[in-house]
Each structure stands twice: as C-alpha cells, then as structure tokens.
Amino acid sequence: SPAQGDHVELTPYWAVLRPLDTDYVVFAQIIDPATTSIYAASDAMPAAWNRPTSSWSPGDIIEAVHTLVGQPDEPPGIYETFVGLYTRGEDASFNRLRVITLDGGEAFDYAQLSRVRILPEGS
C-alpha cells in the first residue's frame, strides 16, 4: 500500500502461446474505478525495450517490469490495476489487443489485476 505520490512496481509475466508478427507496447495503469481517472501509468516494450513482441516464441515467459509513479494530489483510496497491449495507428490512435475468452469470444481490451490501496501522504 503506497502513499500518495509514491511508486508501485508491477511485474506481469507474459506466457507466449503463439508467434506475433507485430511489435506491441505493454501498458500498465492504476485507475480509480469510480471516475476512470488514471492515477499512475507506464507504457513500454517488455524487458526494458529489449524484447519486442515479434521476437517472442511459443513457450517463452516474458517479464515486463513497470514502475508506476502515483499522482501526489490523487485522493487516498482503493484503485484497480490493468495491463494490456497496443500498437499506434498512423493517425496516432491506440489499437489495443482484446482479451480472447475460453470460448473464443472477445472480452475487454485489458486484463484487470488486483486492487491497490493508496494511503495518505506520509503514511
């Protein structure tokens, strides 16, 4: 439970099931679920920009460390953590990969992880 303005280190591991032709950027966010305001965010290619997704092979486990620095003026509370992958379009749009469900359907364009409690500054 970090205090306002502190950082949180988030380390998702990606299990590679099939090759990817595209290089995606991984995003990690801490979001206020009531307002969808982003408390902290990190966007990076996995392994400190050293493992583009097009280099992943089936069976690989890829570590993607993200340091999320919180906003000092964000109120204390319970926030959600999300991760996902995206590319940038020629028009600067964000094209996120969708989560595929077990039955082959499409779900959200992010994976929800655990909650994080942000404490008052100085706690």
Side-chain angles (χ1 to χ4, degrees), residues 2 4 7 12-13 15-16 20 22-24 30 46-47 60 66 72 75 84 89 92 96 101 105 107 110 123:
Q4 292 168 292
H7 74 278
Y13 292 86
V16 183
L20 296 170
T22 305
D23 286 325
Y24 291 94
I30 298 175
D60 287 351
H66 292 270
R96 289 184 176 185
T101 60
Y110 59 86
S123 294

Side-chain angles (χ1 to χ4, degrees), residues 59-102:
D60 287 351
I61 303 293
I62 308 297
E63 179 182 76
V65 178
H66 292 270
T67 301
L68 302 162
V69 180
Q71 303 295 321
D73 58 345
E74 194 72 28
I78 304 294
Y79 293 84
E80 302 287 346
T81 56
F82 297 123
V83 296
L85 298 138
Y86 70 87
T87 60
R88 295 296 302 263
E90 289 183 22
D91 61 354
S93 62
F94 291 90
N95 304 307
R96 289 184 176 185
L97 279 181
R98 297 195 74 79
V99 173
I100 304 299
T101 60
L102 293 175

Side-chain angles (χ1 to χ4, degrees), residues 28 56 120:
W56 294 4

Side-chain angles (χ1 to χ4, degrees), residues 9-72:
E9 192 167 284
L10 178 66
T11 307
Y13 292 86
W14 300 92
V16 183
L17 301 177
R18 62 181 177 85
L20 296 170
D21 296 331
T22 305
D23 286 325
Y24 291 94
V25 175
V26 177
F27 69 89
Q29 299 172 332
I30 298 175
I31 296 179
D32 180 345
T35 65
T36 66
S37 297
I38 297 173
Y39 173 76
S42 170
D43 293 53
M45 191 170 291
W49 295 91
N50 291 314
R51 286 296 306 271
T53 56
S54 62
S55 73
W56 294 4
S57 297
D60 287 351
I61 303 293
I62 308 297
E63 179 182 76
V65 178
H66 292 270
T67 301
L68 302 162
V69 180
Q71 303 295 321

